[in-house]
Every structure is written in C-alpha cells, then in structure tokens.
Amino acid sequence: PAIALAEICERGGLRFPDLRPELASAMEEFLPPGAAPGNPLDAFAFAWTDPSIYLRAVDLALSQEDVHAAVAVFASGAASGIRFPFREYARVGKEHGKPVYLCVLTPFLAPEELDQAREEGIPTYNTPEKAGKALVRAAEYHHLSRDRASRRG
C-alpha cells in the first residue's frame, strides 16, 4: 500500500527526497529487520504491531526541511487490540509545522477511532489512491496559493 501511494504521488509530480544520512542512521536503530530507512519508508507489518514506529519515523523524517508532509498507512484497528496513536501523530506534525495524513486499511477501525483522527485534524483516507490524490491536490493548492501571493507582492 505504501508503494502504491508513493507511485500515485510521484505521477502527480511530488518527489520523495532522500533522507539525510544521520536521519537514516537514527531510523536504523529502531526499525525492524528488513525495513530500510528511506523516503518513503516501508516498515512492513511491524509498524502495525508497534505503532510507536510510526511516531519515531515521522518525527525524524519531518525534521528534514525538504520533507513537507507525512502519511502513515495503518492496517489494523481496535478489534485487533492495536490502536493507532492519533493524538501523538498529530502532535508530531504540529511540532514540525507540517501536515500529517493517515491511510487506514482495515475493516476493524472503531468509529470512535476515526472520530479521534478527525478531532486531531488528521485527514484520513481508506485507500492509498485517495490519500495519494489528496496529497497531490494539497501540493497543487499550495503552489497555486504561493504563486498568487508572489504576483500580488
């Protein structure tokens, strides 16, 4: 799912800058075997069983100036006993002044979990395609707004 999302974003003109070497090294310290630190990051199913991996990886990635947003692809939910850390995820984005998005791929997410994501201001999508298209549209809007402002100023 993360690769499909990345491909949609790239087709829409977005780029995924390489992580700075010190950030990639820091990620290697906590990522599970087989997960390579990078952008996009695919932590396989390990992040589903330990959602703190999302938080640590997003915090590091968003600290890089040319990483402008983050999308977590989460495929679990309350019925599995594993909950996504919505509040903490939103906090990381706010600390960096960058948006965070969520792609939830599970029939098990409790309605109150989606409500919590919305309350935290996290745009939430149920397919990589929808999430990718939303990111492309957000970037287009940002560029249009910036262009209009520069023409006025």
PDB file of all heavy atoms in Angstrom, residues 106-142:
ATOM      1  N   THR A 106      -8.354  -1.012   7.011  1.00  0.00           N
ATOM      2  CA  THR A 106      -8.859  -2.054   7.898  1.00  0.00           C
ATOM      3  C   THR A 106     -10.367  -1.947   8.059  1.00  0.00           C
ATOM      4  O   THR A 106     -10.892  -0.850   8.148  1.00  0.00           O
ATOM      5  CB  THR A 106      -8.184  -1.991   9.281  1.00  0.00           C
ATOM      6  OG1 THR A 106      -8.728  -3.010  10.106  1.00  0.00           O
ATOM      7  CG2 THR A 106      -8.390  -0.649   9.946  1.00  0.00           C
ATOM      8  N   PRO A 107     -11.033  -3.081   8.109  1.00  0.00           N
ATOM      9  CA  PRO A 107     -12.460  -3.041   8.429  1.00  0.00           C
ATOM     10  C   PRO A 107     -12.685  -2.996   9.942  1.00  0.00           C
ATOM     11  O   PRO A 107     -13.806  -2.904  10.401  1.00  0.00           O
ATOM     12  CB  PRO A 107     -12.979  -4.363   7.845  1.00  0.00           C
ATOM     13  CG  PRO A 107     -11.804  -5.274   7.912  1.00  0.00           C
ATOM     14  CD  PRO A 107     -10.588  -4.399   7.703  1.00  0.00           C
ATOM     15  N   PHE A 108     -11.596  -3.038  10.711  1.00  0.00           N
ATOM     16  CA  PHE A 108     -11.723  -3.176  12.158  1.00  0.00           C
ATOM     17  C   PHE A 108     -11.623  -1.866  12.927  1.00  0.00           C
ATOM     18  O   PHE A 108     -11.672  -1.864  14.136  1.00  0.00           O
ATOM     19  CB  PHE A 108     -10.645  -4.127  12.696  1.00  0.00           C
ATOM     20  CG  PHE A 108     -10.690  -5.474  12.055  1.00  0.00           C
ATOM     21  CD1 PHE A 108      -9.645  -5.899  11.257  1.00  0.00           C
ATOM     22  CD2 PHE A 108     -11.778  -6.312  12.224  1.00  0.00           C
ATOM     23  CE1 PHE A 108      -9.676  -7.145  10.649  1.00  0.00           C
ATOM     24  CE2 PHE A 108     -11.823  -7.548  11.620  1.00  0.00           C
ATOM     25  CZ  PHE A 108     -10.765  -7.971  10.832  1.00  0.00           C
ATOM     26  N   LEU A 109     -11.440  -0.754  12.234  1.00  0.00           N
ATOM     27  CA  LEU A 109     -11.285   0.508  12.935  1.00  0.00           C
ATOM     28  C   LEU A 109     -12.621   0.914  13.552  1.00  0.00           C
ATOM     29  O   LEU A 109     -13.642   0.955  12.873  1.00  0.00           O
ATOM     30  CB  LEU A 109     -10.803   1.593  11.981  1.00  0.00           C
ATOM     31  CG  LEU A 109     -10.213   2.818  12.610  1.00  0.00           C
ATOM     32  CD1 LEU A 109      -8.904   2.460  13.329  1.00  0.00           C
ATOM     33  CD2 LEU A 109      -9.932   3.870  11.565  1.00  0.00           C
ATOM     34  N   ALA A 110     -12.599   1.174  14.822  1.00  0.00           N
ATOM     35  CA  ALA A 110     -13.813   1.577  15.516  1.00  0.00           C
ATOM     36  C   ALA A 110     -14.186   3.012  15.122  1.00  0.00           C
ATOM     37  O   ALA A 110     -13.298   3.837  14.896  1.00  0.00           O
ATOM     38  CB  ALA A 110     -13.602   1.483  17.021  1.00  0.00           C
ATOM     39  N   PRO A 111     -15.487   3.308  15.029  1.00  0.00           N
ATOM     40  CA  PRO A 111     -15.900   4.672  14.645  1.00  0.00           C
ATOM     41  C   PRO A 111     -15.295   5.746  15.542  1.00  0.00           C
ATOM     42  O   PRO A 111     -14.948   6.822  15.069  1.00  0.00           O
ATOM     43  CB  PRO A 111     -17.425   4.629  14.780  1.00  0.00           C
ATOM     44  CG  PRO A 111     -17.781   3.185  14.624  1.00  0.00           C
ATOM     45  CD  PRO A 111     -16.625   2.415  15.192  1.00  0.00           C
ATOM     46  N   GLU A 112     -15.138   5.445  16.826  1.00  0.00           N
ATOM     47  CA  GLU A 112     -14.559   6.447  17.727  1.00  0.00           C
ATOM     48  C   GLU A 112     -13.088   6.732  17.389  1.00  0.00           C
ATOM     49  O   GLU A 112     -12.580   7.814  17.641  1.00  0.00           O
ATOM     50  CB  GLU A 112     -14.710   6.068  19.203  1.00  0.00           C
ATOM     51  CG  GLU A 112     -14.035   4.791  19.615  1.00  0.00           C
ATOM     52  CD  GLU A 112     -14.908   3.542  19.473  1.00  0.00           C
ATOM     53  OE1 GLU A 112     -15.984   3.594  18.846  1.00  0.00           O
ATOM     54  OE2 GLU A 112     -14.491   2.503  20.004  1.00  0.00           O
ATOM     55  N   GLU A 113     -12.420   5.752  16.783  1.00  0.00           N
ATOM     56  CA  GLU A 113     -11.039   5.993  16.362  1.00  0.00           C
ATOM     57  C   GLU A 113     -10.995   6.994  15.206  1.00  0.00           C
ATOM     58  O   GLU A 113     -10.167   7.902  15.192  1.00  0.00           O
ATOM     59  CB  GLU A 113     -10.357   4.686  15.947  1.00  0.00           C
ATOM     60  CG  GLU A 113     -10.033   3.780  17.119  1.00  0.00           C
ATOM     61  CD  GLU A 113      -9.306   2.538  16.671  1.00  0.00           C
ATOM     62  OE1 GLU A 113      -9.967   1.635  16.115  1.00  0.00           O
ATOM     63  OE2 GLU A 113      -8.077   2.468  16.862  1.00  0.00           O
ATOM     64  N   LEU A 114     -11.889   6.820  14.232  1.00  0.00           N
ATOM     65  CA  LEU A 114     -11.952   7.786  13.125  1.00  0.00           C
ATOM     66  C   LEU A 114     -12.340   9.165  13.633  1.00  0.00           C
ATOM     67  O   LEU A 114     -11.806  10.172  13.186  1.00  0.00           O
ATOM     68  CB  LEU A 114     -12.950   7.322  12.064  1.00  0.00           C
ATOM     69  CG  LEU A 114     -12.435   6.278  11.089  1.00  0.00           C
ATOM     70  CD1 LEU A 114     -13.524   5.873  10.111  1.00  0.00           C
ATOM     71  CD2 LEU A 114     -11.218   6.781  10.343  1.00  0.00           C
ATOM     72  N   ASP A 115     -13.266   9.202  14.591  1.00  0.00           N
ATOM     73  CA  ASP A 115     -13.646  10.484  15.186  1.00  0.00           C
ATOM     74  C   ASP A 115     -12.446  11.138  15.849  1.00  0.00           C
ATOM     75  O   ASP A 115     -12.247  12.352  15.732  1.00  0.00           O
ATOM     76  CB  ASP A 115     -14.763  10.295  16.219  1.00  0.00           C
ATOM     77  CG  ASP A 115     -16.091   9.918  15.585  1.00  0.00           C
ATOM     78  OD1 ASP A 115     -16.253  10.122  14.357  1.00  0.00           O
ATOM     79  OD2 ASP A 115     -16.956   9.411  16.318  1.00  0.00           O
ATOM     80  N   GLN A 116     -11.619  10.357  16.525  1.00  0.00           N
ATOM     81  CA  GLN A 116     -10.440  10.894  17.186  1.00  0.00           C
ATOM     82  C   GLN A 116      -9.463  11.468  16.159  1.00  0.00           C
ATOM     83  O   GLN A 116      -8.903  12.551  16.362  1.00  0.00           O
ATOM     84  CB  GLN A 116      -9.754   9.827  18.031  1.00  0.00           C
ATOM     85  CG  GLN A 116      -8.623  10.365  18.867  1.00  0.00           C
ATOM     86  CD  GLN A 116      -7.957   9.288  19.706  1.00  0.00           C
ATOM     87  OE1 GLN A 116      -7.939   8.117  19.331  1.00  0.00           O
ATOM     88  NE2 GLN A 116      -7.407   9.690  20.825  1.00  0.00           N
ATOM     89  N   ALA A 117      -9.274  10.770  15.053  1.00  0.00           N
ATOM     90  CA  ALA A 117      -8.387  11.276  13.998  1.00  0.00           C
ATOM     91  C   ALA A 117      -8.904  12.615  13.476  1.00  0.00           C
ATOM     92  O   ALA A 117      -8.142  13.565  13.314  1.00  0.00           O
ATOM     93  CB  ALA A 117      -8.277  10.257  12.863  1.00  0.00           C
ATOM     94  N   ARG A 118     -10.195  12.697  13.229  1.00  0.00           N
ATOM     95  CA  ARG A 118     -10.788  13.938  12.722  1.00  0.00           C
ATOM     96  C   ARG A 118     -10.667  15.063  13.749  1.00  0.00           C
ATOM     97  O   ARG A 118     -10.370  16.203  13.400  1.00  0.00           O
ATOM     98  CB  ARG A 118     -12.244  13.701  12.342  1.00  0.00           C
ATOM     99  CG  ARG A 118     -12.380  12.840  11.100  1.00  0.00           C
ATOM    100  CD  ARG A 118     -13.831  12.701  10.667  1.00  0.00           C
ATOM    101  NE  ARG A 118     -13.924  11.678   9.651  1.00  0.00           N
ATOM    102  CZ  ARG A 118     -14.517  10.498   9.818  1.00  0.00           C
ATOM    103  NH1 ARG A 118     -15.090  10.198  10.960  1.00  0.00           N
ATOM    104  NH2 ARG A 118     -14.546   9.629   8.833  1.00  0.00           N
ATOM    105  N   GLU A 119     -10.908  14.742  15.017  1.00  0.00           N
ATOM    106  CA  GLU A 119     -10.778  15.749  16.080  1.00  0.00           C
ATOM    107  C   GLU A 119      -9.361  16.305  16.144  1.00  0.00           C
ATOM    108  O   GLU A 119      -9.158  17.471  16.471  1.00  0.00           O
ATOM    109  CB  GLU A 119     -11.152  15.149  17.432  1.00  0.00           C
ATOM    110  CG  GLU A 119     -12.634  14.905  17.611  1.00  0.00           C
ATOM    111  CD  GLU A 119     -12.933  14.075  18.848  1.00  0.00           C
ATOM    112  OE1 GLU A 119     -12.043  13.893  19.707  1.00  0.00           O
ATOM    113  OE2 GLU A 119     -14.081  13.595  18.944  1.00  0.00           O
ATOM    114  N   GLU A 120      -8.390  15.469  15.834  1.00  0.00           N
ATOM    115  CA  GLU A 120      -6.991  15.887  15.860  1.00  0.00           C
ATOM    116  C   GLU A 120      -6.579  16.593  14.572  1.00  0.00           C
ATOM    117  O   GLU A 120      -5.443  17.033  14.440  1.00  0.00           O
ATOM    118  CB  GLU A 120      -6.078  14.692  16.111  1.00  0.00           C
ATOM    119  CG  GLU A 120      -6.263  14.041  17.473  1.00  0.00           C
ATOM    120  CD  GLU A 120      -5.948  14.979  18.634  1.00  0.00           C
ATOM    121  OE1 GLU A 120      -5.124  15.903  18.470  1.00  0.00           O
ATOM    122  OE2 GLU A 120      -6.541  14.801  19.710  1.00  0.00           O
ATOM    123  N   GLY A 121      -7.515  16.679  13.622  1.00  0.00           N
ATOM    124  CA  GLY A 121      -7.224  17.374  12.372  1.00  0.00           C
ATOM    125  C   GLY A 121      -6.423  16.558  11.376  1.00  0.00           C
ATOM    126  O   GLY A 121      -5.770  17.113  10.496  1.00  0.00           O
ATOM    127  N   ILE A 122      -6.466  15.239  11.495  1.00  0.00           N
ATOM    128  CA  ILE A 122      -5.723  14.374  10.592  1.00  0.00           C
ATOM    129  C   ILE A 122      -6.630  13.966   9.434  1.00  0.00           C
ATOM    130  O   ILE A 122      -7.602  13.233   9.638  1.00  0.00           O
ATOM    131  CB  ILE A 122      -5.220  13.101  11.312  1.00  0.00           C
ATOM    132  CG1 ILE A 122      -4.357  13.459  12.516  1.00  0.00           C
ATOM    133  CG2 ILE A 122      -4.474  12.196  10.331  1.00  0.00           C
ATOM    134  CD1 ILE A 122      -4.018  12.260  13.396  1.00  0.00           C
ATOM    135  N   PRO A 123      -6.343  14.413   8.214  1.00  0.00           N
ATOM    136  CA  PRO A 123      -7.106  13.923   7.069  1.00  0.00           C
ATOM    137  C   PRO A 123      -6.903  12.407   6.955  1.00  0.00           C
ATOM    138  O   PRO A 123      -5.772  11.916   6.983  1.00  0.00           O
ATOM    139  CB  PRO A 123      -6.499  14.657   5.875  1.00  0.00           C
ATOM    140  CG  PRO A 123      -5.836  15.862   6.469  1.00  0.00           C
ATOM    141  CD  PRO A 123      -5.354  15.409   7.821  1.00  0.00           C
ATOM    142  N   THR A 124      -8.003  11.685   6.854  1.00  0.00           N
ATOM    143  CA  THR A 124      -7.959  10.222   6.882  1.00  0.00           C
ATOM    144  C   THR A 124      -8.636   9.664   5.635  1.00  0.00           C
ATOM    145  O   THR A 124      -9.732  10.094   5.284  1.00  0.00           O
ATOM    146  CB  THR A 124      -8.654   9.707   8.156  1.00  0.00           C
ATOM    147  OG1 THR A 124      -8.046  10.336   9.286  1.00  0.00           O
ATOM    148  CG2 THR A 124      -8.521   8.211   8.302  1.00  0.00           C
ATOM    149  N   TYR A 125      -7.967   8.702   5.005  1.00  0.00           N
ATOM    150  CA  TYR A 125      -8.459   8.101   3.770  1.00  0.00           C
ATOM    151  C   TYR A 125      -8.460   6.586   3.921  1.00  0.00           C
ATOM    152  O   TYR A 125      -7.694   6.035   4.703  1.00  0.00           O
ATOM    153  CB  TYR A 125      -7.568   8.526   2.589  1.00  0.00           C
ATOM    154  CG  TYR A 125      -7.503  10.026   2.485  1.00  0.00           C
ATOM    155  CD1 TYR A 125      -6.488  10.738   3.125  1.00  0.00           C
ATOM    156  CD2 TYR A 125      -8.485  10.741   1.814  1.00  0.00           C
ATOM    157  CE1 TYR A 125      -6.450  12.121   3.075  1.00  0.00           C
ATOM    158  CE2 TYR A 125      -8.441  12.123   1.761  1.00  0.00           C
ATOM    159  CZ  TYR A 125      -7.423  12.806   2.404  1.00  0.00           C
ATOM    160  OH  TYR A 125      -7.402  14.172   2.363  1.00  0.00           O
ATOM    161  N   ASN A 126      -9.308   5.928   3.127  1.00  0.00           N
ATOM    162  CA  ASN A 126      -9.420   4.471   3.259  1.00  0.00           C
ATOM    163  C   ASN A 126      -8.754   3.700   2.128  1.00  0.00           C
ATOM    164  O   ASN A 126      -8.851   2.480   2.093  1.00  0.00           O
ATOM    165  CB  ASN A 126     -10.883   4.049   3.415  1.00  0.00           C
ATOM    166  CG  ASN A 126     -11.733   4.411   2.218  1.00  0.00           C
ATOM    167  OD1 ASN A 126     -11.265   5.051   1.281  1.00  0.00           O
ATOM    168  ND2 ASN A 126     -12.986   4.009   2.242  1.00  0.00           N
ATOM    169  N   THR A 127      -8.075   4.390   1.216  1.00  0.00           N
ATOM    170  CA  THR A 127      -7.302   3.706   0.177  1.00  0.00           C
ATOM    171  C   THR A 127      -6.038   4.521  -0.115  1.00  0.00           C
ATOM    172  O   THR A 127      -6.043   5.752   0.040  1.00  0.00           O
ATOM    173  CB  THR A 127      -8.082   3.552  -1.151  1.00  0.00           C
ATOM    174  OG1 THR A 127      -8.255   4.846  -1.743  1.00  0.00           O
ATOM    175  CG2 THR A 127      -9.426   2.857  -0.952  1.00  0.00           C
ATOM    176  N   PRO A 128      -4.976   3.858  -0.559  1.00  0.00           N
ATOM    177  CA  PRO A 128      -3.776   4.598  -0.951  1.00  0.00           C
ATOM    178  C   PRO A 128      -4.058   5.562  -2.107  1.00  0.00           C
ATOM    179  O   PRO A 128      -3.472   6.639  -2.178  1.00  0.00           O
ATOM    180  CB  PRO A 128      -2.793   3.508  -1.382  1.00  0.00           C
ATOM    181  CG  PRO A 128      -3.286   2.263  -0.762  1.00  0.00           C
ATOM    182  CD  PRO A 128      -4.771   2.416  -0.626  1.00  0.00           C
ATOM    183  N   GLU A 129      -4.970   5.183  -2.991  1.00  0.00           N
ATOM    184  CA  GLU A 129      -5.299   6.028  -4.134  1.00  0.00           C
ATOM    185  C   GLU A 129      -5.889   7.354  -3.677  1.00  0.00           C
ATOM    186  O   GLU A 129      -5.493   8.421  -4.149  1.00  0.00           O
ATOM    187  CB  GLU A 129      -6.271   5.300  -5.080  1.00  0.00           C
ATOM    188  CG  GLU A 129      -5.666   4.109  -5.779  1.00  0.00           C
ATOM    189  CD  GLU A 129      -5.599   2.836  -4.906  1.00  0.00           C
ATOM    190  OE1 GLU A 129      -6.219   2.793  -3.812  1.00  0.00           O
ATOM    191  OE2 GLU A 129      -4.897   1.896  -5.317  1.00  0.00           O
ATOM    192  N   LYS A 130      -6.837   7.297  -2.747  1.00  0.00           N
ATOM    193  CA  LYS A 130      -7.462   8.526  -2.251  1.00  0.00           C
ATOM    194  C   LYS A 130      -6.449   9.382  -1.495  1.00  0.00           C
ATOM    195  O   LYS A 130      -6.426  10.605  -1.651  1.00  0.00           O
ATOM    196  CB  LYS A 130      -8.650   8.196  -1.353  1.00  0.00           C
ATOM    197  CG  LYS A 130      -9.838   7.639  -2.101  1.00  0.00           C
ATOM    198  CD  LYS A 130     -10.955   7.276  -1.145  1.00  0.00           C
ATOM    199  CE  LYS A 130     -12.112   6.634  -1.887  1.00  0.00           C
ATOM    200  NZ  LYS A 130     -13.167   6.166  -0.955  1.00  0.00           N
ATOM    201  N   ALA A 131      -5.630   8.756  -0.687  1.00  0.00           N
ATOM    202  CA  ALA A 131      -4.620   9.502   0.072  1.00  0.00           C
ATOM    203  C   ALA A 131      -3.619  10.161  -0.881  1.00  0.00           C
ATOM    204  O   ALA A 131      -3.271  11.335  -0.717  1.00  0.00           O
ATOM    205  CB  ALA A 131      -3.903   8.579   1.058  1.00  0.00           C
ATOM    206  N   GLY A 132      -3.150   9.421  -1.877  1.00  0.00           N
ATOM    207  CA  GLY A 132      -2.193   9.958  -2.834  1.00  0.00           C
ATOM    208  C   GLY A 132      -2.760  11.124  -3.611  1.00  0.00           C
ATOM    209  O   GLY A 132      -2.100  12.155  -3.783  1.00  0.00           O
ATOM    210  N   LYS A 133      -3.987  10.978  -4.085  1.00  0.00           N
ATOM    211  CA  LYS A 133      -4.618  12.066  -4.835  1.00  0.00           C
ATOM    212  C   LYS A 133      -4.809  13.300  -3.955  1.00  0.00           C
ATOM    213  O   LYS A 133      -4.633  14.432  -4.411  1.00  0.00           O
ATOM    214  CB  LYS A 133      -5.955  11.600  -5.414  1.00  0.00           C
ATOM    215  CG  LYS A 133      -5.788  10.633  -6.571  1.00  0.00           C
ATOM    216  CD  LYS A 133      -7.124  10.131  -7.071  1.00  0.00           C
ATOM    217  CE  LYS A 133      -6.924   9.102  -8.175  1.00  0.00           C
ATOM    218  NZ  LYS A 133      -8.205   8.542  -8.632  1.00  0.00           N
ATOM    219  N   ALA A 134      -5.148  13.096  -2.698  1.00  0.00           N
ATOM    220  CA  ALA A 134      -5.317  14.224  -1.781  1.00  0.00           C
ATOM    221  C   ALA A 134      -3.991  14.955  -1.575  1.00  0.00           C
ATOM    222  O   ALA A 134      -3.955  16.194  -1.544  1.00  0.00           O
ATOM    223  CB  ALA A 134      -5.877  13.745  -0.440  1.00  0.00           C
ATOM    224  N   LEU A 135      -2.906  14.216  -1.451  1.00  0.00           N
ATOM    225  CA  LEU A 135      -1.591  14.849  -1.294  1.00  0.00           C
ATOM    226  C   LEU A 135      -1.214  15.653  -2.530  1.00  0.00           C
ATOM    227  O   LEU A 135      -0.704  16.776  -2.420  1.00  0.00           O
ATOM    228  CB  LEU A 135      -0.530  13.786  -1.032  1.00  0.00           C
ATOM    229  CG  LEU A 135      -0.468  13.265   0.393  1.00  0.00           C
ATOM    230  CD1 LEU A 135       0.371  12.009   0.452  1.00  0.00           C
ATOM    231  CD2 LEU A 135       0.105  14.316   1.302  1.00  0.00           C
ATOM    232  N   VAL A 136      -1.460  15.093  -3.695  1.00  0.00           N
ATOM    233  CA  VAL A 136      -1.153  15.800  -4.941  1.00  0.00           C
ATOM    234  C   VAL A 136      -1.975  17.081  -5.025  1.00  0.00           C
ATOM    235  O   VAL A 136      -1.449  18.155  -5.347  1.00  0.00           O
ATOM    236  CB  VAL A 136      -1.390  14.886  -6.166  1.00  0.00           C
ATOM    237  CG1 VAL A 136      -1.348  15.676  -7.467  1.00  0.00           C
ATOM    238  CG2 VAL A 136      -0.372  13.748  -6.186  1.00  0.00           C
ATOM    239  N   ARG A 137      -3.253  16.997  -4.689  1.00  0.00           N
ATOM    240  CA  ARG A 137      -4.124  18.186  -4.745  1.00  0.00           C
ATOM    241  C   ARG A 137      -3.690  19.224  -3.710  1.00  0.00           C
ATOM    242  O   ARG A 137      -3.697  20.428  -3.991  1.00  0.00           O
ATOM    243  CB  ARG A 137      -5.598  17.818  -4.523  1.00  0.00           C
ATOM    244  CG  ARG A 137      -6.184  16.892  -5.569  1.00  0.00           C
ATOM    245  CD  ARG A 137      -6.229  17.545  -6.941  1.00  0.00           C
ATOM    246  NE  ARG A 137      -6.632  16.602  -7.945  1.00  0.00           N
ATOM    247  CZ  ARG A 137      -5.828  16.042  -8.838  1.00  0.00           C
ATOM    248  NH1 ARG A 137      -4.554  16.338  -8.849  1.00  0.00           N
ATOM    249  NH2 ARG A 137      -6.272  15.192  -9.726  1.00  0.00           N
ATOM    250  N   ALA A 138      -3.301  18.781  -2.531  1.00  0.00           N
ATOM    251  CA  ALA A 138      -2.835  19.723  -1.499  1.00  0.00           C
ATOM    252  C   ALA A 138      -1.579  20.446  -1.971  1.00  0.00           C
ATOM    253  O   ALA A 138      -1.436  21.660  -1.772  1.00  0.00           O
ATOM    254  CB  ALA A 138      -2.580  18.984  -0.181  1.00  0.00           C
ATOM    255  N   ALA A 139      -0.666  19.721  -2.599  1.00  0.00           N
ATOM    256  CA  ALA A 139       0.561  20.348  -3.115  1.00  0.00           C
ATOM    257  C   ALA A 139       0.230  21.332  -4.227  1.00  0.00           C
ATOM    258  O   ALA A 139       0.799  22.432  -4.282  1.00  0.00           O
ATOM    259  CB  ALA A 139       1.532  19.277  -3.609  1.00  0.00           C
ATOM    260  N   GLU A 140      -0.683  20.968  -5.113  1.00  0.00           N
ATOM    261  CA  GLU A 140      -1.085  21.872  -6.189  1.00  0.00           C
ATOM    262  C   GLU A 140      -1.680  23.148  -5.613  1.00  0.00           C
ATOM    263  O   GLU A 140      -1.364  24.259  -6.059  1.00  0.00           O
ATOM    264  CB  GLU A 140      -2.099  21.194  -7.116  1.00  0.00           C
ATOM    265  CG  GLU A 140      -1.498  20.110  -7.977  1.00  0.00           C
ATOM    266  CD  GLU A 140      -2.544  19.307  -8.741  1.00  0.00           C
ATOM    267  OE1 GLU A 140      -3.769  19.454  -8.459  1.00  0.00           O
ATOM    268  OE2 GLU A 140      -2.144  18.514  -9.612  1.00  0.00           O
ATOM    269  N   TYR A 141      -2.535  23.009  -4.602  1.00  0.00           N
ATOM    270  CA  TYR A 141      -3.144  24.173  -3.963  1.00  0.00           C
ATOM    271  C   TYR A 141      -2.070  25.057  -3.328  1.00  0.00           C
ATOM    272  O   TYR A 141      -2.099  26.281  -3.463  1.00  0.00           O
ATOM    273  CB  TYR A 141      -4.167  23.732  -2.915  1.00  0.00           C
ATOM    274  CG  TYR A 141      -4.766  24.893  -2.169  1.00  0.00           C
ATOM    275  CD1 TYR A 141      -5.776  25.664  -2.749  1.00  0.00           C
ATOM    276  CD2 TYR A 141      -4.316  25.230  -0.900  1.00  0.00           C
ATOM    277  CE1 TYR A 141      -6.317  26.741  -2.082  1.00  0.00           C
ATOM    278  CE2 TYR A 141      -4.851  26.319  -0.229  1.00  0.00           C
ATOM    279  CZ  TYR A 141      -5.850  27.062  -0.822  1.00  0.00           C
ATOM    280  OH  TYR A 141      -6.376  28.140  -0.160  1.00  0.00           O
ATOM    281  N   HIS A 142      -1.132  24.442  -2.647  1.00  0.00           N
ATOM    282  CA  HIS A 142      -0.043  25.188  -2.016  1.00  0.00           C
ATOM    283  C   HIS A 142       0.740  25.993  -3.056  1.00  0.00           C
ATOM    284  O   HIS A 142       1.025  27.177  -2.858  1.00  0.00           O
ATOM    285  CB  HIS A 142       0.885  24.239  -1.266  1.00  0.00           C
ATOM    286  CG  HIS A 142       2.112  24.895  -0.742  1.00  0.00           C
ATOM    287  ND1 HIS A 142       2.102  25.710   0.372  1.00  0.00           N
ATOM    288  CD2 HIS A 142       3.387  24.894  -1.199  1.00  0.00           C
ATOM    289  CE1 HIS A 142       3.330  26.170   0.583  1.00  0.00           C
ATOM    290  NE2 HIS A 142       4.116  25.685  -0.351  1.00  0.00           N
TER     291      HIS A 142
END
